[in-house]
Amino acid sequence: MDGILNNNNNKNSETEEYILYNFFSSGRRRKSLHENKLKRLQEKVEILEAKREELETENQVLNRQNVPFEEYTRLQKRLRDIQRRHNEFRSLILVPNIPPAASINPVSFQSSGTFPGMDLSFPAHMQEEQHQRELSLLRKRLEELETTQRKQLEELGSTGE
């Protein structure tokens, strides 16, 4: 009977050891899983901190490059004024017989950025031809202005004598 009890004690002891081994090994597994998860989270935190620092640096750079709103609005007004004057000048040169106020609508001219009669649906070579025609018109107009100025100078010279 002692042999049977001893055998049962050995089995119980082995079972207890097995249970304890499983308990501790599962604890070790949980611990290693927890440590791995902790490492991944720490890596994510480091990456997020690096991104945050990068964004802060970028924000600082952008803040240094921004133009104050007042200066922006002042420059916008100046640009519109220069465009208006440019369009008036262009209308005087291209269409000399029409008064500047009635020549070209500056608002439509500003938005398109093209010459009157220039259609944006034309292919590039047609736009180039249009551009060449406008250049020849400008040359003719400049020659006319030069001739008119010479006549005026001659008239002034003859009346001054």
Side-chain angles (χ1 to χ4, degrees):
M1 184 110 148
D2 278 336
I4 296 174
L5 283 176
N6 248 353
N7 196 9
N8 279 340
N9 280 342
N10 282 344
K11 286 183 182 179
N12 285 340
S13 164
E14 287 175 11
T15 307
E16 287 175 3
E17 285 177 22
Y18 180 73
I19 291 172
L20 287 174
Y21 174 78
N22 282 339
F23 177 75
F24 286 118
S25 66
S26 67
R28 277 184 256 149
R29 271 186 260 130
R30 280 194 301 264
K31 181 181 177 186
S32 68
L33 289 174
H34 176 72
E35 288 173 347
N36 289 339
K37 190 170 190 173
L38 186 63
K39 284 180 186 177
R40 280 180 288 174
L41 289 174
Q42 285 174 341
E43 289 172 358
K44 284 184 181 181
V45 166
E46 289 174 2
I47 290 171
L48 289 174
E49 285 177 352
K51 282 184 181 180
R52 184 181 52 81
E53 288 175 11
E54 182 181 331
L55 289 173
E56 285 177 354
T57 305
E58 187 177 322
N59 192 17
Q60 290 172 354
V61 169
L62 289 175
N63 282 337
R64 279 187 248 131
Q65 291 177 352
N66 284 344
V67 175
F69 183 74
E70 296 81 20
E71 186 175 351
Y72 174 78
T73 54
R74 184 183 58 79
L75 290 173
Q76 282 289 100
K77 288 178 183 177
R78 186 171 174 215
L79 173 66
R80 278 188 241 118
D81 183 51
I82 289 171
Q83 286 175 333
R84 180 188 53 78
R85 289 190 291 161
H86 174 76
N87 290 333
E88 288 175 3
F89 178 76
R90 182 183 288 163
S91 67
L92 284 173
I93 291 176
L94 290 177
V95 189
N97 298 331
I98 300 175
S103 63
I104 298 174
N105 181 1
V107 174
S108 67
F109 207 58
Q110 273 182 357
S111 63
S112 69
T114 60
F115 294 103
M118 183 177 203
D119 187 4
L120 292 178
S121 63
F122 284 156
H125 66 78
M126 303 245 342
Q127 287 181 355
E128 180 62 28
E129 289 174 13
Q130 177 71 20
H131 180 68
Q132 292 301 325
R133 282 192 294 261
E134 290 169 353
L135 285 176
S136 69
L137 270 171
L138 278 174
R139 285 187 198 104
K140 286 180 186 177
R141 178 67 180 136
L142 285 173
E143 289 172 5
E144 290 173 7
L145 287 172
E146 187 179 350
T147 306
T148 305
Q149 281 181 342
R150 282 192 183 143
K151 286 179 183 177
Q152 288 174 348
L153 282 173
E154 288 173 4
E155 289 174 3
L156 284 175
S158 65
T159 58
E161 293 176 357

